[in-house]
């Protein structure tokens, strides 16, 4: 079996490259049949995945990076049903790894990839906006959570906290700031093409293929990435102070018991807001939109798990 490693050396502010320098000698020591591909710029992992999978054959791709690198890879794969995916998380949030129960330590994660033998099929989400499509593995959202992702992507605070091994706190710190400068809006949400529901003063709405988002927030505790469904969370009609107090409870998934937190399951969610808001897929920023449609690709990818 040949392993194709797509490595983001810039993940976690450059530590991804250092981790690869530790793991590659281990691969050689174990006489592993592999090829390593290092990303050179944003979007490069899409191209690499296209090159690896363009022959239409079955392949094993191992991602060394964060959720953003995973997002690029799944968007570059030609036919997800022919791919087995391994993951060594080296990002700031690592929500996909958290949802899959993968080890945090790179050498332990490598052991899972090479020795686990456990394969799980995973749904792939599909976001449509402005006639364009983008796949996602973890989640896609509009509003507050996407604005936090947008700011985190360019934040010098993220670099500092990554160096202190506190990368996931980036999202908490930025969320606290944005909470007081972003105003909630009216939104209409249509599930599975049925009657639209109107929500007042919406902070954000997210379609979750994974139960975690934003560096460990357990936004949709019951979400499964293999059930052919998306879990949609909407936060609406809450005072900003209440949202502030609820955020810490979301790490345990306790927020779902409070008024103003709505969670639905569906195969397709159409979300329309009264003004253009930030949008993201797996934490990767997308240009402002008033309307997004979240669904599923209809094909599952194989993932190596514990």
């Amino acid at each position: 079996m040949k392993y194709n490693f797509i490595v983001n050396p810039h993940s976690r502010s450059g530590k991804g490259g250092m981790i690869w320098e530790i793991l590659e000698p281990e691969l050689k020591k174990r006489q592993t049949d592999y090829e390593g591909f290092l990303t050179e710029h944003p979007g490069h992992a899409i191209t690499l995945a296209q090159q690896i999978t363009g022959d239409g054959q079955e392949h094993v791709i191992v991602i060394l990076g964060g959720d953003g690198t995973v997002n690029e890879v799944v968007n570059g794969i030609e036919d997800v049903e022919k791919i087995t995916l391994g993951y060594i998380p080296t990002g700031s949030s690592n929500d996909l790894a958290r949802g899959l129960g993968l080890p945090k330590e790179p050498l332990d994660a490598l052991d899972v990839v090479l020795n686990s033998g456990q394969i799980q099929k995973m749904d792939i989400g599909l976001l449509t906006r402005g006639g364009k499509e983008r796949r996602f593995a973890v989640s896609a959202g509009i509003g507050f959570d996407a604005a936090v992702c947008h700011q985190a992507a360019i934040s010098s605070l993220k670099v500092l906290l990554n160096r202190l091994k506190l990368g996931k706190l980036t999202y908490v710190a930025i969320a606290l700031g944005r909470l007081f400068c972003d105003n909630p809006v009216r939104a209409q949400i249509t599930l599975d093409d049925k009657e639209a529901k109107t929500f007042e003063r919406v902070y954000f709405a997210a379609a979750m293929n994974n139960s975690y988002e934003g560096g460990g927030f357990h936004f949709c505790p019951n979400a499964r990435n293999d059930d052919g469904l998306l879990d949609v969370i909407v936060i609406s009609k809450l005072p900003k102070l209440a949202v502030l107090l609820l955020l810490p409870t979301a790490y345990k998934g306790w927020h779902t018991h409070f008024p103003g937190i709505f969670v639905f399951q569906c195969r397709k969610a159409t979300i329309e807001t009264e003004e253009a808001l930030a949008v993201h897929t797996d934490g990767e920023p997308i240009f402002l939109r008033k309307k997004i449609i979240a669904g599923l690709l209809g094909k599952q990818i194989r993932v190596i798990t514990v």
Side-chain angles (χ1 to χ4, degrees):
M1 180 186 297
K2 180 179 179 180
Y3 297 87
N4 297 278
F5 283 79
I6 296 181
V7 179
N8 180 357
H10 305 292
S11 59
R12 204 180 297 175
S13 303
K15 288 192 175 179
M18 296 169 61
I19 292 170
W20 176 241
E21 290 176 358
I22 294 171
L23 297 188
E24 189 171 23
E26 187 68 20
L27 290 170
K28 293 177 179 178
K29 178 182 175 182
R30 300 187 188 195
Q31 298 183 323
T32 306
D33 185 9
Y34 79 96
E35 189 168 357
F37 304 86
L38 273 62
T39 64
E40 298 174 0
H41 51 77
H44 193 197
I46 296 177
T47 303
L48 292 173
Q50 288 171 337
Q51 292 172 351
I52 293 168
T53 64
D55 60 3
Q57 303 299 310
E58 295 198 354
H59 293 279
V60 178
I61 296 178
V62 182
I63 301 167
L64 192 154
D67 292 329
T69 310
V70 174
N71 183 267
E72 289 192 10
V73 171
V74 298
N75 275 281
I77 293 171
E78 293 294 333
D79 184 350
V80 298
E81 288 184 312
K82 293 185 177 180
I83 302 304
T84 299
L85 202 66
Y87 185 32
I88 299 172
T90 63
S92 300
S93 55
N94 299 322
D95 287 307
L96 178 61
R98 189 175 285 107
L100 292 171
L102 297 176
K104 296 179 182 179
E105 292 299 320
L107 282 170
D108 293 338
L110 180 63
D111 280 334
V112 170
V113 168
L114 300 180
N115 301 317
S116 168
Q118 300 296 317
I119 303 294
Q120 170 187 323
K121 289 191 175 181
M122 185 178 80
D123 297 322
I124 297 293
L126 186 66
L127 180 79
T128 305
R129 82 285 179 204
K132 297 180 179 180
E133 294 182 340
R134 180 87 179 185
R135 298 173 185 173
F136 60 92
V138 175
S139 65
I142 184 169
F144 172 71
D145 70 326
V148 171
C149 293
H150 279 224
Q151 190 169 335
I154 59 172
S155 174
S156 57
L157 176 65
K158 183 176 182 179
V159 176
L160 174 62
L161 290 175
N162 277 337
R163 288 174 179 168
L164 297 173
K165 298 183 178 180
L166 298 171
K168 75 175 186 178
L169 294 182
T170 303
Y171 299 90
V172 177
I174 293 174
L176 294 176
R178 294 217 64 104
L179 182 61
F180 291 101
C181 45
D182 292 354
N183 292 317
V185 301
R186 178 184 295 111
Q188 278 197 334
I189 300 178
T190 306
L191 304 176
D192 293 328
D193 295 322
K194 296 178 182 178
E195 185 177 353
K197 302 175 185 290
T198 299
F199 295 86
E200 301 292 338
R201 303 186 69 246
V202 171
Y203 288 88
F204 77 90
M208 309 277 293
N209 187 46
N210 187 59
S211 60
Y212 293 93
E213 185 192 80
F217 287 111
H218 209 187
F219 279 141
C220 290
N222 296 321
R224 293 177 53 90
N225 55 26
D226 61 352
D227 61 0
L229 296 170
L230 292 171
D231 284 44
V232 178
I233 181 171
V234 184
I235 297 184
S236 169
K237 289 184 71 174
L238 285 173
K240 290 187 176 183
L241 180 59
V243 177
L244 178 63
L245 294 174
L246 277 175
L247 274 177
T249 72
Y251 278 111
K252 295 292 186 181
W254 297 339
H255 62 295
T256 58
H257 302 295
F258 292 88
I261 310 294
F262 303 90
V263 180
F264 309 96
Q265 280 194 329
C266 63
R267 296 184 183 277
K268 175 184 175 184
T270 302
I271 304 169
E272 299 177 81
T273 57
E274 61 182 341
E275 60 185 73
L277 299 176
V279 177
H280 81 91
T281 55
D282 296 336
E284 295 299 287
I286 294 176
F287 195 71
L288 304 182
R289 294 289 176 186
K290 283 187 173 183
K291 178 180 179 180
I292 62 172
I293 301 172
L296 292 168
L297 185 62
K299 296 181 178 182
Q300 292 182 313
I301 193 168
R302 298 186 298 269
V303 181
I304 302 171
T305 60
V306 179

